[in-house]
Amino acid sequence: MPAVELPVQKWPGRIHEVTLGGNGRKKVVVGGEATLPFLHFEGAIPHRPAIAIEVHDRNPAEWAENLRQVWGSALKSPAAWAKKASELGADLIALRLSSAHPENGNTGAEAAKKNVAQVLEAVDLPVIVLGPEVAEKDNEVLMAAAEAARGQRLAIGDCMEKNYRTIAAACIANGHVAIGKTPIEINLAKQLNILISDVGVSRDAILMDPTTGALGYGLEYSYSVMERLRLAGLQGDAMTAMPMICTVGEEAWRQKEARVSEGVPTTWGQAKERAILWEGITAISLLEAGADIVVLRHPRSVELARATIDKLMAGAGQRSA
Amino acid sequence: MPLSGIEIYKLLPKSNCKECKFPTCLAFAMKLAQKQAELSACPYVSEEAKQALDAAARPPIRLVTVGANPKSFQVGNEVVLFRHEKTFYHPTALVVRVSDSDSADSIANRVKEATTYTVERVGHNMGLQGIAIQNKSGDKAAFARCAQQVQSLTDLPLMLMASDPGTMEAALEKAAAQKPLLYAATRDNWQPMAALAKKYQCPVAICEPGGLQPLSDLTEQVSKTGVEDIVLDPGVRDFNGSLVSLTQIRRLALKSNFRPLGYPVITFPSEAASSLEEEALLAGQQIAKYASIVVLDHFSPEMVYPLLTLRMNIYTDPQKPIQVTPGVYPFGNPKPTSPLLVTTNFSLTYFSVAGEVESSGFPSWLMVTDTEGLSVLTSWAAGKFDAPKIAKTVKEFKISEMVSHQSLILPGAVAVLRGELEEELSGWKVMVGPRDAVDIGSYLKRSWTS
Amino acid sequence: MSTPSPSSKNFKVAFLPSHQEVEVPIGTTLQEAADRNGISIDLPCGGQGRCGRCRVKVEKGQVSQEDNPHLTPRQREQGWVLSCQAQVASDLVVTVPPPRERARAETSTSRAAATVRLEWPLEPAVRRATLEIPPPTLEDNTSDLERLERAAKEALGIAGLEVSLPLLRELPQALRQGEWRVTAILEGAAGDRARLVDILPGEVKGPLWGMAVDIGTTNVVVYLADMSSGHLRDSASAPNSQASCGEDVISRIIYSLRPEGLKHLQELVIQTLNELLSELAVRNGLATTEIYDMVMAGNTTMSHLFLGIPPRHIREEPYAPAATRFPPTQARELGININPNASVTCLPSVAAYVGGDITSGVVSSGLYKKKELTLFMDVGTNGEIVLGGDDWLMTDACSAGPAFEGAGIASGMRAIKGATEDVRIHSKTLEPTLKVIGDVKPLGICGSGLISALAEMRVTGVVDRAGKINLSYIREAMGKRCRAREGEHGKEFVLAWASESGTGEDIVLSEVDINNLLRAKGAIYAGITIMLRHAGVSPQDINEVLIGGSFGRHIDVEEAIQTGLLPDLPWERFKYLGNTSALGAFQALLSRQARAAIKEVAGRMTYLELIADNSFMEEFTAAAFLPHTDMDRFPSMKNLLREAS
Ligand code: SF4
Ligand code: FES
């Protein structure tokens, strides 16, 4: 009988470890993997992937009713919202400064400072601060946030190809981690990492967001780009070995399948459950492709993701024969 | 191991005679390497070359067919660990399990539901692949009766699940013509099970939870009896265990060319799940990471629809981006006065535009032009997204009967088409939208007044 | 254009500085109006409104037009419009600026005689033979034609002789004038039926003229050869005047779709050719009708336009050209001023974007018989790449855009007098030093200068790896006399101040220009990468890189590697061959064997369609970085940057 020789792949590279928080606040470390997601038998996975809950600095009227209901009055203040998120088991708070968007209030640096401070005050979790994704406004509010939270080691994003210099510089000056975001393409992701490194951000202070495609809306592109980035990083390419963050909630809840309950085919099934699975399956798929942080919206998806990560991490430390 | 184009070329006659309908022997060899041509197209290959090519072309994971005409499904024959390396060829079959201890009514309902379930996504219809029948009653006659009942209700392929060979044969006597998958040969019953598989010419699953070595040994024994259509069940059920063992089986087959494990794999996610959602998540993992058949214990549309969508995503050929069917897509109950946007049928383009239109809050029409799966700028450069083409699409889908305003919004990247398009579509007003999909919402807010 | 109907409105358009006036219907574009007046305005993008280079200035009156991003608000205020887009809407006065590029481009000629060695047996398709023909008698009064054929068969071993009607009309006179001694110019090898090209009384000696032509998208090159000795006697080149209808092949194909567009393009190139011919004829003291054979090499689009074959489908998927083999034709049918009976042979193409210039280059460069893996590249508006050797040949083409020919770059120009061909930037002060062709003040910058500038800017940190100008760093280094600034097209770096330049204006490279260059070099490198992958080899396996095309003569290998245009290989592996296309045509003119080899090669080159290759976009993105996203592929640049920092 032929003998089974289990193929154990030894990777020359390792994913950079990135620490968020600390300095009095809880610490979350991501990255450090020496193997593909959850294949504990062939290499160390020192840190479990982290779950961030998305919080906004304004009451997002455009959110699906289902979501608005579960969060209830917490939506009214970012501090209360963050607090509730923390109670529901978030590892991180992802604060999106969407009120700075020109069409959502166009608030500026002052409001950003205030909101970031309030959230930092309300929870002891590490915080991710995201801009409204309008280049000039991002520069304005993220600089302010970076200064306001000096030394708290936030993750700040997004650095895009257009404006990475300003935000990266603010991260260096105030001791934060920079998030580079690129449109679902492996080379662009790597290029931005190189550019951000070239301006002086150290490798343990960069996260990459390769852009999330939700289930049914380009998931396969994100999935493969992330697998490839992870493979390249493990093969020793330091410029693709950054931990990855995915804005799963935002993308999943943008889609009809998660938002709409009426006027859709009956074959789509019951709306509430479907929405949660839409977010949940997107999250788990991307975790298995290499995500180190998933940003989620619905408490039930958070619960499911957490339980799944527990199970996937169950093999940690044990080596199979 | 598959040969490269140049390696194959070295085996060809190098005469460039073109009889294979390719311009050169090398062009033909490269198509062969990509599995886009058949060796038989060249009348001049030597015997020796034929053999070398056949050996190299032997699939590392066997292609197994379950079911018989008209309905059957095929699994296996995968060649890569990561979809970007080539593609995943045979989508995971989703099978719903019923039990012979359930009432005939509930079985009938479940089977009918599963059989008729179909859901449409970007112009493709998706559904389930089969029904598994579990011998839970422990009763031979009940199992046979159940098999017969299910068979009369569905034309989906069947999977018979019984550990007693006698029970299995009782059902087989009713259902063998449909070439069901037999589950399972184990270390205790493999000889009679293999004999049944052989006698009835059915594929058989081998279940051995003791590890990959015993599984491999058992598979060897079964295959020595002449049974070739085999499906593996490594018996590991939980999230991490399943991920690890399925990864190892696939790696062994592909990277180590290890024949005894070169077969498709079957999983049972519900056996490790505490809720329906968890069953769905584990099934999702297994669709992406290497299960060829996933047996579900629950069937509900809100669970199956996301899984079928995931399967479609994962099994899309990354070399051939999925195309959206051209046509007009409504968003949020548009009226004849709602805006009409135009885009191409490259799925990623479509999805980003559709996502923004959806979340803009404006009920809208989105006209998808057939650009053979190319994005806006690429298709424009290739002459596939030009004024005549757009005008043709407007006419083809009778858009002037749908909208009352006779105006359309062009992607900003092809603003140059405006003049010509207005000439082609007399009476229409052509507006130039934003270059980037993310700006659609604010564009509509600003510019859409009618 | 149709005659205006009485109901449609007409307006008067006056053109400055010539003060010509024309009346045209409302809606006529300014370029068409000018054209009617015989004033030609170049349309580099074929009149699509995309290049912004067909500007004219409206001094008085109204035009109707779309907003166009190619004009700055200031220019718009001053009245500049794109003549291909702006339409007449009232009476107008319009200033047409002098054509810039063409004023700079001069015809360059050279007496390159003897520099070219023919590596083939001298066996041209056309031969000359003096025949003694027995005069007719009452006993043997067979016709003149029969007698000629009989004599030719005997003397030359041909199987028969085809004589065209016009020549037949001249035959009796020629025979008698030469007293039954004639010189026949004929085409055809022994054993075949031959075709009479000319018949001259008496014995004619001296050179037997033939010409080899390379019709490029940008330049036309003519070699004049003596087919009896096998020598290259002279050569001449000039810009292809089709450039006024579009700079690249795509724009020209678009232009060809206009009514009469194809005909116009064909006339333009033949006109260029005829001008070069008369120049050569005068200089070498011959009548153009003494030229008895012509071989032409051109890319597939050029061959189509030259022969007047609609090129439309070259541009559209699935990119099927009308032909890749072209039927032999005669000069008279094309209006070429050589002997009207002379054959005109276009060398065969492989595919829509791999033409006779490449099959010709593959033979003249010797690639087709190399035992070791060899890469051949011809960089021009398109980058064509061929990989292989005597066993197999693979080819692809990537549209690099005209950046390397100086187009699509604000200060770009061809490699002629006044062009900056080399740039050095001081590593501390960032002050540039320019080397200009002809040692004059710079007028612009040519392809090799662009590569050089890009490499220097990167190595000195003027631009980052994405080609973005690092304003703050340059400001810090340069202080007051900072050469970097925010310009109309984004950030820019001044290579020469107005006071240092020959144009009286600053010569700058903007981020837009740099981006065009990145794309051009990225496309070529991606084309190479994909081909290597299909062949299953790595760059290190390439034994030799042969560079053809006019571009190749000037570039500096080291700098081309620093920018990531060429693979990082030891410089000894690169070899410049100059105009391999013209050379191949020359060889084909003088040797049937060379002609057969080109035909054979065209039949065995395997074309890879990059558009059909999904990894192209990805490789292209990876390569549109300095030098490349994967630094490991450029170890020498890695070392250099390490030293620099
Ligand atoms: S038929 Fe055979 S010999 Fe002829 S070209 Fe095709 S592969 Fe070559
Ligand atoms: S813009 Fe008028 S010709 Fe290019």
Side-chain angles (χ1 to χ4, degrees):
Chain A
M1 293 278 151
V4 174
E5 280 169 45
L6 288 182
V8 175
Q9 186 124 22
K10 280 296 158 212
W11 301 95
R14 200 164 200 270
I15 304 310
H16 308 307
E17 278 187 345
V18 174
T19 304
L20 300 174
N23 204 2
R25 162 172 309 284
K26 273 198 188 136
K27 210 189 242 179
V28 168
V29 187
V30 291
E33 297 93 329
T35 180
L36 290 167
F38 312 112
L39 297 187
H40 306 285
F41 69 95
E42 67 181 9
I45 302 177
H47 311 290
R48 39 183 293 142
I51 298 172
I53 293 186
E54 184 179 334
V55 166
H56 283 238
D57 66 346
R58 52 179 258 283
N59 189 337
E62 72 279 11
W63 276 28
E65 210 31 56
N66 179 3
L67 267 181
R68 291 180 52 80
Q69 264 167 22
V70 283
W71 288 106
S73 61
L75 295 178
K76 288 185 192 137
S77 113
W81 191 347
K83 197 144 195 233
K84 186 161 176 192
S86 160
E87 287 158 15
L88 285 171
D91 299 313
L92 301 162
I93 300 298
L95 172 63
R96 178 151 322 261
L97 301 174
S98 58
S99 74
H101 195 285
E103 278 159 25
N104 286 329
N106 204 17
T107 59
E110 281 319 305
K113 276 189 184 158
K114 194 189 85 209
N115 289 325
V116 170
Q118 278 177 5
V119 168
L120 285 172
E121 177 65 36
V123 294
D124 64 350
L125 300 179
V127 175
I128 300 167
V129 176
L130 301 169
E133 299 203 287
V134 177
E136 317 85 72
K137 293 304 285 188
D138 278 351
N139 281 352
E140 179 186 348
V141 295
L142 293 177
M143 290 252 286
E147 281 163 23
R150 195 186 172 103
Q152 299 289 319
R153 209 163 169 84
L154 311 177
I156 295 190
D158 296 320
C159 294
M160 314 251 224
E161 203 236 358
K162 286 179 224 152
N163 64 350
Y164 73 91
R165 276 173 201 277
T166 319
I167 298 169
C171 288
I172 299 174
N174 299 290
H176 302 305
V177 168
I179 305 173
K181 181 167 181 172
T182 43
I184 320 195
E185 212 278 342
I186 178 167
N187 294 293
L188 296 177
K190 178 174 174 184
Q191 289 172 6
L192 188 57
N193 288 336
I194 294 176
L195 294 170
I196 294 177
S197 306
D198 278 358
V199 300
V201 181
S202 65
R203 285 173 191 179
D204 60 0
I206 304 176
L207 293 173
M208 57 179 168
D209 175 352
T211 298
T212 302
L215 177 61
Y217 294 85
L219 174 75
E220 69 273 34
Y221 295 93
S222 299
Y223 183 87
S224 284
V225 163
M226 288 171 64
E227 280 197 328
R228 296 181 59 190
L229 283 165
R230 182 49 46 97
L231 285 166
L234 291 174
Q235 267 146 10
D237 181 350
M239 283 301 143
T240 53
M242 284 66 186
M244 294 186 272
I245 175 170
C246 295
T247 53
V248 170
E250 194 168 283
E251 294 306 322
W253 286 96
R254 192 199 291 280
Q255 313 308 339
K256 207 171 176 179
E257 282 81 351
R259 297 170 61 90
V260 183
S261 55
E262 274 157 41
V264 297
T266 49
T267 46
W268 285 19
Q270 200 220 96
K272 249 189 187 157
E273 192 77 345
R274 184 205 323 136
I276 286 163
L277 282 176
W278 216 262
E279 185 175 25
I281 289 183
T282 306
I284 301 305
S285 303
L286 295 181
L287 283 167
E288 308 228 23
D292 295 280
I293 302 176
V294 285
V295 185
L296 301 178
R297 282 189 176 173
H298 198 287
R300 177 66 184 147
S301 329
V302 171
E303 204 178 324
L304 285 170
R306 169 164 299 282
T308 306
I309 292 172
D310 285 346
K311 292 181 179 166
L312 284 166
M313 288 302 289
Q318 89 200 27
R319 302 272 160 125
S320 95
Chain B
M1 289 289 122
L3 299 178
S4 76
I6 299 278
E7 283 164 337
I8 296 175
Y9 169 73
K10 307 245 182 230
L11 299 168
L12 293 178
K14 303 188 186 179
S15 66
N16 301 320
C17 76
K18 302 190 189 340
E19 272 180 50
C20 54
K21 305 245 163 58
F22 289 94
T24 60
C25 295
L26 179 56
F28 178 61
M30 289 167 66
K31 288 289 173 197
L32 277 179
Q34 292 164 13
K35 298 203 165 70
Q36 290 169 4
E38 292 295 332
L39 186 60
S40 55
C42 170
Y44 306 109
V45 255
S46 66
E47 254 330 292
E48 191 192 339
K50 246 183 224 156
Q51 278 170 13
L53 286 166
D54 281 349
R58 199 173 145 204
I61 297 178
R62 189 176 169 81
L63 183 66
V64 173
T65 305
V66 177
N69 279 332
K71 281 248 177 164
S72 62
F73 64 81
Q74 290 193 310
V75 285
N77 206 6
E78 300 300 339
V79 297
V80 291
L81 273 159
F82 303 101
R83 59 186 290 282
H84 69 260
E85 294 172 319
K86 182 102 195 160
T87 185
F88 289 174
Y89 285 103
H90 293 95
T92 311
L94 294 186
V95 171
V96 171
R97 175 152 64 177
V98 297
S99 160
D100 66 355
S101 59
D102 293 346
S103 73
D105 276 355
S106 82
I107 293 174
N109 281 340
R110 172 68 69 86
V111 170
K112 270 191 223 144
E113 233 181 340
T115 307
T116 52
Y117 182 81
T118 120
V119 60
E120 192 259 13
R121 205 176 162 78
V122 286
H124 302 263
N125 285 314
M126 313 185 291
L128 297 164
Q129 279 58 57
I131 308 286
I133 306 161
Q134 175 84 54
N135 173 227
K136 204 169 176 186
S137 65
D139 179 46
K140 206 190 239 183
F143 189 53
R145 211 178 315 117
C146 185
Q148 190 165 27
Q149 185 201 359
V150 172
Q151 181 176 225
S152 70
L153 290 169
T154 184
D155 54 1
L156 289 179
L158 303 183
M159 175 173 162
L160 301 176
M161 303 182 67
S163 51
D164 171 48
T167 308
M168 186 65 91
E169 183 150 25
L172 267 176
E173 276 162 6
K174 311 280 181 205
Q178 289 199 358
K179 304 279 172 234
L181 170 62
L182 311 184
Y183 184 98
T186 63
R187 65 177 88 165
D188 301 323
N189 70 5
W190 68 269
Q191 277 157 320
M193 276 295 180
L196 285 178
K198 210 157 167 214
K199 175 171 171 196
Y200 291 98
Q201 294 288 303
C202 292
V204 63
I206 298 178
C207 174
E208 171 52 63
L212 296 187
Q213 183 68 61
L215 177 61
S216 153
D217 295 346
L218 191 54
T219 309
E220 273 280 286
Q221 281 172 318
V222 171
S223 79
K224 278 204 188 114
T225 68
V227 173
E228 288 181 319
D229 287 330
I230 292 172
V231 172
L232 305 176
D233 176 7
V236 190
R237 297 287 180 255
D238 66 295
F239 274 86
N240 194 252
S242 163
L243 177 68
V244 168
S245 73
L246 269 62
T247 304
Q248 283 171 333
I249 291 173
R250 169 101 35 129
R251 274 198 198 163
L252 280 161
L254 298 184
K255 298 282 168 230
S256 318
N257 224 353
F258 188 74
R259 291 278 166 199
L261 295 179
Y263 298 98
V265 178
I266 186 167
T267 62
F268 299 86
S270 76
E271 295 180 11
S274 58
S275 66
L276 186 133
E277 288 147 320
E278 229 172 68
E279 181 180 356
L281 293 181
L282 184 49
Q285 166 184 305
Q286 291 163 341
I287 285 171
K289 297 259 154 142
Y290 314 139
S292 287
I293 302 175
V294 171
V295 180
L296 300 172
D297 273 334
H298 297 93
F299 171 85
S300 72
E302 60 272 17
M303 166 193 188
V304 169
Y305 177 43
L307 287 177
L308 290 172
T309 306
L310 177 68
R311 182 180 73 183
M312 177 186 224
N313 284 173
I314 296 289
Y315 283 82
T316 294
D317 183 350
Q319 257 75 51
K320 261 190 261 124
I322 201 162
Q323 298 179 17
V324 180
T325 314
V328 189
Y329 292 76
F331 288 85
N333 294 325
K335 295 200 243 335
T337 52
S338 304
L340 168 72
L341 296 98
V342 174
T343 191
T344 74
N345 76 332
F346 173 43
S347 63
L348 209 49
T349 305
Y350 168 81
F351 287 139
S352 53
V353 172
E356 295 300 335
V357 171
E358 180 78 49
S359 58
S360 74
F362 278 83
S364 309
W365 304 97
L366 181 57
M367 183 183 97
V368 174
T369 312
D370 183 4
T371 56
E372 288 158 48
L374 296 181
S375 68
V376 171
L377 271 176
T378 322
S379 58
W380 171 76
K384 292 188 174 183
F385 189 51
D386 52 11
K389 183 70 151 279
I390 298 172
K392 205 182 116 212
T393 314
V394 167
K395 285 170 196 153
E396 185 181 335
F397 294 105
K398 305 206 165 57
I399 299 209
S400 47
E401 293 168 18
M402 294 175 162
V403 298
S404 54
H405 46 68
Q406 309 280 290
S407 44
L408 59 81
I409 302 171
L410 211 55
V414 290
V416 286
L417 295 179
R418 179 173 169 183
E420 204 188 333
L421 189 55
E422 280 185 341
E423 269 171 40
E424 294 265 349
L425 284 172
S426 63
W428 278 71
K429 182 173 164 221
V430 176
M431 301 166 65
V432 176
R435 287 186 76 92
D436 291 327
V438 281
D439 300 322
I440 287 177
S442 46
Y443 170 83
L444 289 177
K445 228 179 249 182
R446 231 180 319 111
S447 319
W448 191 258
T449 43
S450 49
Chain C
M1 186 137 309
S2 59
T3 9
S5 65
S7 63
S8 79
K9 252 179 123 153
N10 281 7
F11 290 113
K12 280 200 193 85
V13 185
F15 289 98
L16 300 178
S18 60
H19 291 285
Q20 279 158 300
E21 217 180 81
V22 67
E23 212 178 282
V24 292
I26 183 169
T28 309
T29 67
L30 297 189
Q31 180 265 331
E32 283 164 351
D35 199 49
R36 289 194 179 191
N37 246 336
I39 301 173
S40 90
I41 299 175
D42 281 1
L43 302 179
C45 71
Q48 305 170 72
R50 288 175 46 220
C51 69
R53 302 258 297 263
C54 60
R55 273 170 229 175
V56 297
K57 198 168 158 196
V58 177
E59 308 288 351
K60 232 195 264 156
Q62 292 296 318
V63 294
S64 64
Q65 59 178 335
E66 301 282 322
D67 271 5
N68 196 297
H70 292 289
L71 298 169
T72 63
R74 194 174 49 153
Q75 286 172 325
R76 249 173 273 154
E77 237 165 69
Q78 290 170 343
W80 290 97
V81 298
L82 298 184
S83 65
C84 72
Q85 301 295 314
Q87 299 171 357
V88 174
S90 75
D91 287 346
L92 288 168
V93 179
V94 174
T95 300
V96 182
R100 177 170 154 222
E101 190 70 24
R102 270 200 290 167
R104 283 195 209 160
E106 310 149 17
T107 302
S108 68
T109 55
S110 73
R111 287 193 165 257
T115 52
V116 179
R117 234 182 328 117
L118 183 67
E119 286 160 353
W120 296 91
L122 178 61
E123 219 176 280
V126 168
R127 302 193 271 171
R128 181 171 60 191
T130 306
L131 301 173
E132 301 281 354
I133 293 160
T137 59
L138 270 177
E139 286 75 44
D140 175 13
N141 59 1
T142 337
S143 71
D144 290 353
L145 181 55
E146 299 289 329
R147 308 184 94 76
L148 175 71
E149 184 171 28
R150 212 189 293 147
K153 274 180 168 171
E154 261 165 40
L156 305 168
I158 55 173
L161 189 64
E162 308 283 340
V163 179
S164 66
L165 184 57
L167 274 178
L168 185 55
R169 289 183 179 136
E170 288 170 28
L171 182 62
Q173 169 71 9
L175 288 176
R176 284 162 184 89
Q177 191 184 327
E179 293 173 353
W180 304 98
R181 206 173 138 80
V182 287
T183 300
I185 315 275
L186 41 80
E187 190 180 72
D192 294 345
R193 285 187 74 80
R195 182 176 73 88
L196 189 66
V197 180
D198 202 1
I199 183 100
L200 305 161
E203 180 170 5
V204 178
K205 287 217 165 84
L208 177 62
W209 298 108
M211 64 191 263
V213 181
D214 164 40
I215 298 184
T217 312
T218 318
N219 267 318
V220 178
V221 177
V222 180
Y223 283 6
L224 181 67
D226 174 2
M227 298 189 286
S228 62
S229 68
H231 285 138
L232 172 60
R233 296 297 286 266
D234 198 355
S235 72
S237 83
N240 184 338
S241 24
Q242 288 174 343
S244 63
C245 307
E247 251 161 13
D248 50 35
V249 293
I250 299 295
S251 305
R252 278 183 222 172
I253 295 172
I254 292 172
Y255 188 94
S256 77
L257 301 177
R258 299 182 165 202
E260 303 288 291
L262 175 56
K263 196 165 151 246
H264 184 56
L265 288 167
Q266 187 187 17
E267 284 164 2
L268 283 172
V269 66
I270 286 178
Q271 183 191 327
T272 306
L273 199 56
N274 283 337
E275 281 164 16
L276 286 170
L277 272 176
S278 27
E279 182 190 324
L280 285 171
V282 169
R283 204 154 66 201
N284 293 276
L286 59 126
T288 55
T289 48
E290 288 175 54
I291 299 174
Y292 286 115
D293 197 8
M294 167 174 162
V295 174
M296 174 274 193
N299 64 48
T300 310
T301 305
M302 288 305 116
S303 299
H304 277 64
L305 295 178
F306 176 71
L307 296 173
I309 307 169
R312 168 172 196 164
H313 304 285
I314 291 178
R315 178 186 161 236
E316 293 165 4
E317 228 192 62
Y319 317 104
T324 51
R325 283 183 284 118
F326 304 99
T329 177
Q330 281 153 36
R332 88 156 65 76
E333 287 178 47
L334 296 173
I336 300 170
N337 294 340
I338 57 177
N339 187 288
N341 293 321
S343 275
V344 176
T345 306
C346 293
L347 294 176
S349 295
V350 176
Y353 294 102
V354 176
D357 50 344
I358 303 305
T359 54
S360 160
V362 166
V363 169
S364 70
S365 67
L367 168 64
Y368 76 110
K369 54 177 185 191
K370 297 272 181 197
K371 296 270 174 251
E372 311 265 4
L373 186 70
T374 305
L375 179 73
F376 169 84
M377 48 198 291
D378 183 332
V379 178
T381 319
N382 270 321
E384 290 102 341
I385 301 158
V386 189
L387 181 73
D390 63 348
D391 188 13
W392 51 266
L393 290 165
M394 256 186 220
T395 180
D396 66 22
C398 28
S399 142
F404 291 132
E405 312 226 312
I409 304 286
S411 304
M413 65 184 286
R414 297 193 314 126
I416 51 169
K417 193 167 154 191
T420 305
E421 57 172 351
D422 187 65
V423 176
R424 298 284 132 186
I425 296 177
H426 192 279
S427 60
K428 296 268 146 44
T429 64
L430 305 185
E431 272 300 321
T433 314
L434 311 186
K435 189 162 152 251
V436 181
I437 301 178
D439 282 323
V440 293
K441 283 187 168 183
L443 296 170
I445 180 161
C446 67
S448 56
L450 288 167
I451 295 290
S452 165
L454 191 59
E456 286 288 296
M457 287 166 88
R458 176 62 203 121
V459 173
T460 55
V462 168
V463 295
D464 67 12
R465 295 203 224 180
K468 297 283 176 319
I469 293 176
N470 195 341
L471 257 188
S472 52
Y473 170 72
I474 304 169
R475 281 203 180 120
E476 218 169 276
M478 304 197 87
K480 269 213 208 78
R481 293 203 67 229
C482 181
R483 284 179 180 265
R485 65 187 181 204
E486 285 288 350
E488 276 162 6
H489 299 290
K491 298 191 187 105
E492 55 190 30
F493 186 77
V494 182
L495 289 172
W497 298 109
S499 58
E500 301 161 337
S501 84
T503 56
E505 281 172 40
D506 292 348
I507 293 178
V508 302
L509 271 186
S510 69
E511 282 188 350
V512 175
D513 296 334
I514 295 172
N515 193 37
N516 282 339
L517 278 173
L518 281 188
R519 298 172 67 86
K521 72 101 193 170
I524 290 170
Y525 189 85
I528 298 176
T529 309
I530 287 182
M531 201 147 59
L532 291 172
R533 184 183 307 141
H534 278 283
V537 294
S538 82
Q540 306 312 319
D541 299 330
I542 303 172
N543 185 57
E544 208 179 3
V545 181
L546 307 175
I547 303 177
S550 56
F551 171 73
R553 235 174 318 168
H554 310 284
I555 53 165
D556 176 316
V557 175
E558 205 186 327
E559 287 173 334
I561 292 173
Q562 283 169 9
T563 58
L565 166 64
L566 296 178
D568 197 351
L569 293 172
W571 61 267
E572 330 74 77
R573 293 202 204 167
F574 293 88
K575 206 156 142 203
Y576 292 133
L577 301 173
N579 192 336
T580 46
S581 164
L583 188 61
F586 172 74
Q587 294 176 345
L589 177 72
L590 296 178
S591 175
R592 289 170 190 282
Q593 285 85 341
R595 218 178 270 207
I598 293 173
K599 200 170 149 207
E600 187 270 332
V601 154
R604 112 178 129 89
M605 280 166 74
T606 299
Y607 180 64
L608 296 180
E609 181 56 79
L610 289 182
I611 297 251
D613 190 308
N614 274 283
S615 53
F616 180 74
M617 259 335 269
E618 184 171 311
E619 284 300 335
F620 171 69
T621 314
F625 207 56
L626 289 170
H628 193 276
T629 308
D630 183 2
M631 258 318 236
D632 291 341
R633 299 201 211 180
F634 289 84
S636 68
M637 185 66 175
K638 217 170 168 178
N639 294 339
L640 192 75
L641 287 175
R642 198 173 299 136
E643 278 163 33
S645 64

